[in-house]
Amino acid sequence: MIKLYPPCEVVGRYVLPIFRSLVAKELIEKYNFTQIEAAEKLGTTQAAISQYIHSKRGYKGLAHFEEILPTIKAAASEIAKGIATGKMNTDEVVLSLCRLCTSLQRG
């Protein structure tokens, strides 16, 4: 059986949850956001943020992405800072994620 997994599907299924988890953790730990505030900024629920913080969500298949994890972490840190300082709006966050996806596909 041939499995066709376009890069965007892989990013959406595996990388995006890792990315969201890292952004959520940084917003809470470094910028003192509440779980509710982080959820509002990331367009998700407080329950999802709680699962990210406790590593119950966002780590599926993490072992397969160890090579690119530093790139994902750097992007998450940059975006968390942009969100926390108010320098990035939702569109800019999405655009940054698209740039990350593109750079991962090239690398």
Side-chain angles (χ1 to χ4, degrees):
M1 175 196 276
I2 297 175
K3 294 183 180 182
L4 299 175
Y5 294 111
C8 288
E9 183 178 348
V10 173
V11 168
R13 183 176 289 175
Y14 299 103
V15 177
L16 183 58
I18 294 168
F19 176 79
R20 279 190 187 138
S21 175
L22 294 168
V23 172
K25 285 181 178 183
E26 188 147 339
L27 287 174
I28 290 168
E29 294 170 2
K30 187 172 182 179
Y31 297 104
N32 300 314
F33 276 51
T34 65
Q35 289 185 12
I36 292 170
E37 291 168 333
E40 288 172 358
K41 293 294 184 180
L42 295 177
T44 190
T45 65
Q46 177 276 325
I49 297 295
S50 178
Q51 290 181 343
Y52 288 140
I53 298 304
H54 295 97
S55 301
K56 293 180 180 178
R57 179 188 270 195
Y59 286 90
K60 184 179 182 182
L62 186 61
H64 298 286
F65 298 100
E66 287 180 13
E67 186 177 309
I68 61 171
L69 196 54
T71 303
I72 298 168
K73 284 183 178 182
S77 182
E78 178 185 323
I79 289 175
K81 181 179 179 181
I83 290 170
T85 60
K87 292 183 179 179
M88 292 183 89
N89 62 32
T90 303
D91 292 337
E92 292 166 326
V93 170
V94 171
L95 184 58
S96 293
L97 180 59
C98 289
R99 281 193 294 259
L100 172 64
C101 180
T102 301
S103 75
L104 292 175
Q105 288 178 41
R106 289 183 188 152

